[in-house]
Structure formats: C-alpha cells, structure tokens
C-alpha cells in the first residue's frame, strides 16, 4: 500500500513538470508568432482592463454600501415616523377623552346650577309663605290684644302675651266662693295658621270641640265666651 502511495506521488509530480513544460512551449510559440512587444502591449492592456475593472468594482461596491446605508436610514426614518404617528394617535385619543370629560363636567355644572336656582326659588317661596304667615299671626295677635279691654270689662278676662308668640287667657270672678281664683288657657297659632289651645287649667273635656269650631267659623269672641261658660259650669259640679 505504501508503495502504491509513493508511486501515485511520483506520477503527480511528473504531471506537474509536464504541464509546466507544455506552458513554456506554448509561450515560446506565442512569442515567436506575435513578437515580444505585441505581447507586452497585450499584457499591459490586460492589466489596464483589470485595474479599470477593479476601480469600477470598488466604486460600485462603495455605491452599494452607500445605498445600503441609505436604505437603513430610510427604514429608520420610517420607523420613527410610525412611532410618531402612533404617539399622535394616542394623544388624539387622550384629547378626545379629556374633551368628553370636560363636556360631562359642563353638563354636571349646568345641572348643579339649575338645581341651585330651583332651590333658591323654592327657598324664596317658603320665605314668602313664612313671612305671610308671620304677618297674619302678628295681625291676629294684635287684634286679640286690641280686644283685651273689651274682654276684661265684660268677661273679667286678663290677656297676657308670653313666650313663642302665645297668648294666655286668665278668667276671674267665675267661682263665687273664690272670685280671685284663676281659670287659664293658653292659645297659639300653628304652622297651618289655625288656632290651637296648648294648655288649659282646669282641664275641659270640650276644649277640642271648641278649637275645631273656631277654626271653622273664625268667630273668636264666641270661642272665648264658650270657654268661660265651660269654666263657670265646673263651679256647679
């Protein structure tokens, strides 16, 4: 086997020597046919062409590299523009949301303003009603006070104005055994503007009936007279 390998190496070397010999013979024939000067010109032209091709290759290689850089730059710009467009879209959505919230707040503010105005109007009406009731109450109290002298002279009655705009009616000369003994009831005017007996001493079973009747008839003199009669009736029991 070693012998075969050695023989193969010898054969390869012989082939190389033979190839070099044939090449030298070929160039010798070329020189003899075309001449040395023409061959040199051909070689110079070949070298010039090779140099031109090399220069052109380098130039185009540079252009291609610049083109690749340009493409990369364009791609970078495109990505940046895409990101900016995305941010703009997000900002627009955010602005739309803010605008919607502002509109809702304006509507709520308008509703609140309307509610406040309604409350103000309702309060003004209530104030007018209360003022009217207070005025009517004062007028009634004043009329009762003006009747004080008449009641004192004819019915032996004393009228006093006490707390919370109430009137206290004190009858005397009812009990013949004790003429100075007081018979008292207290009267006020409630929120509905009606007469209301808040206390009665001694108590009368018929006081609720008298109260209802004076509300229906508004005949106050008869109301006071009836209470005096009821107090007088107690002295005979």
């Amino acid at each position: 086997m070693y012998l075969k390998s050695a023989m193969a190496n010898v054969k390869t070397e012989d082939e190389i020597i033979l190839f070099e010999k044939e090449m030298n013979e070929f160039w010798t024939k070329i020189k003899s046919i075309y001449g040395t000067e023409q061959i040199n010109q051909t070689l110079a032209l070949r070298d010039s062409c090779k140099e031109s091709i090399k220069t052109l290759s380098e130039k185009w290689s540079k252009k291609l590299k610049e083109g690749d850089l340009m493409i990369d730059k364009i791609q970078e710009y495109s990505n940046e523009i895409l990101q900016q467009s995305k941010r703009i879209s997000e900002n627009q959505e955010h602005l739309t949301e803010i605008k919607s919230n502002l509109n809702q707040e304006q509507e709520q503010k308008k509703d609140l303003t309307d509610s406040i105005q309604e409350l103000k109007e309702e309060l003004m009406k209530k104030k007018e009603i209360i003022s009217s009731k207070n005025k009517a109450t004062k007028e009634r109290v004043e009329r009762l006070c003006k009747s004080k002298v008449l009641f004192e002279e004819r019915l032996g009655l004393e009228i006093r104005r006490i707390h919370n705009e109430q009137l206290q009616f004190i009858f005397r000369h009812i009990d013949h055994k004790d003429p100075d003994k007081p018979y008292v009831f207290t009267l006020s005017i409630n929120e509905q503007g009606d007469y209301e007996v808040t206390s009665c001493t001694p108590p009368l079973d018929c006081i609720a009936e008298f109260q209802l009747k004076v509300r229906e008839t508004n005949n106050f003199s008869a109301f006071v007279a009836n209470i005096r009669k009821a107090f007088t009736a107690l002295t005979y029991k």
Side-chain angles (χ1 to χ4, degrees):
M1 184 176 180
Y2 177 76
L3 181 60
K4 287 181 179 181
S5 177
M7 291 177 65
N9 290 333
V10 171
K11 184 178 179 180
T12 302
E13 291 176 358
D14 292 341
E15 288 177 351
I16 293 172
I17 293 170
L18 180 60
F19 177 74
E20 289 178 351
K21 183 180 179 181
E22 290 177 352
M23 284 298 296
N24 290 328
E25 291 177 355
F26 172 76
W27 280 108
T28 301
K29 289 180 181 179
I30 290 296
K31 288 178 181 180
S32 63
I33 296 171
Y34 295 100
T36 303
E37 184 178 353
Q38 190 172 1
I39 290 172
N40 291 335
Q41 291 178 355
T42 302
L43 292 174
L45 180 61
R46 183 197 63 182
D47 293 339
S48 178
C49 288
K50 288 175 66 176
E51 187 66 27
S52 297
I53 291 171
K54 181 180 179 182
T55 302
L56 187 61
S57 296
E58 292 176 352
K59 181 178 179 180
W60 280 106
S61 178
K62 184 178 179 181
K63 290 289 185 183
L64 289 173
K65 288 182 181 178
E66 291 176 354
D68 291 339
L69 290 174
M70 185 65 68
I71 291 172
D72 292 340
K73 203 68 176 177
I74 291 172
Q75 185 64 40
E76 183 180 346
Y77 289 155
S78 298
N79 293 333
E80 185 176 352
I81 291 171
L82 183 62
Q83 292 297 324
Q84 289 179 354
S85 298
K86 185 178 179 181
R87 287 194 293 270
I88 290 171
S89 179
E90 291 174 352
N91 290 336
Q92 286 178 342
E93 291 177 358
H94 185 57
L95 287 173
T96 301
E97 182 179 356
I98 292 174
K99 185 177 180 181
S100 176
N101 291 335
L102 287 175
N103 290 335
Q104 290 179 359
E105 289 178 359
Q106 288 177 350
E107 291 177 359
Q108 291 175 356
K109 182 179 179 181
K110 184 178 181 300
D111 293 340
L112 181 60
T113 302
D114 293 341
S115 298
I116 292 173
Q117 184 62 32
E118 290 177 1
L119 289 174
K120 284 182 177 179
E121 293 175 358
E122 185 177 353
L123 182 61
M124 288 298 296
K125 289 179 181 179
K126 287 184 177 180
K127 284 184 177 180
E128 290 176 359
I129 293 172
I130 292 172
S131 176
S132 177
K133 287 183 178 180
N134 289 339
K135 183 178 179 181
T137 300
K138 287 181 179 180
E139 289 176 353
R140 286 188 179 185
V141 171
E142 287 175 0
R143 285 198 299 269
L144 291 175
C145 289
K146 288 179 181 179
S147 303
K148 177 179 178 182
V149 176
L150 177 63
F151 286 131
E152 286 180 349
E153 290 177 353
R154 295 185 180 182
L155 301 177
L157 174 65
E158 179 184 356
I159 301 174
R160 297 176 182 175
R161 179 180 291 182
I162 60 176
H163 58 85
N164 296 329
E165 295 294 332
Q166 295 186 100
L167 292 178
Q168 189 177 65
F169 294 77
I170 304 172
F171 293 98
R172 301 182 190 278
H173 306 296
I174 289 180
D175 189 348
H176 297 288
K177 297 178 182 179
D178 187 1
D180 292 330
K181 180 180 178 180
Y183 289 75
V184 183
F185 76 92
T186 304
L187 186 70
S188 68
I189 297 175
N190 60 24
E191 293 181 356
Q192 288 72 35
D194 297 325
Y195 293 111
E196 183 174 351
V197 177
T198 57
S199 67
C200 182
T201 305
L204 295 173
D205 295 335
C206 55
I207 196 69
E209 179 184 350
F210 292 159
Q211 181 177 270
L212 180 61
K213 191 170 183 179
V214 73
R215 291 178 180 179
E216 293 175 350
T217 63
N218 203 32
N219 190 341
F220 188 76
S221 297
F223 169 70
V224 174
N226 288 331
I227 291 179
R228 189 179 192 283
K229 289 178 182 179
F231 279 144
T232 301
L234 290 177
T235 63
Y236 295 100
K237 291 183 178 180

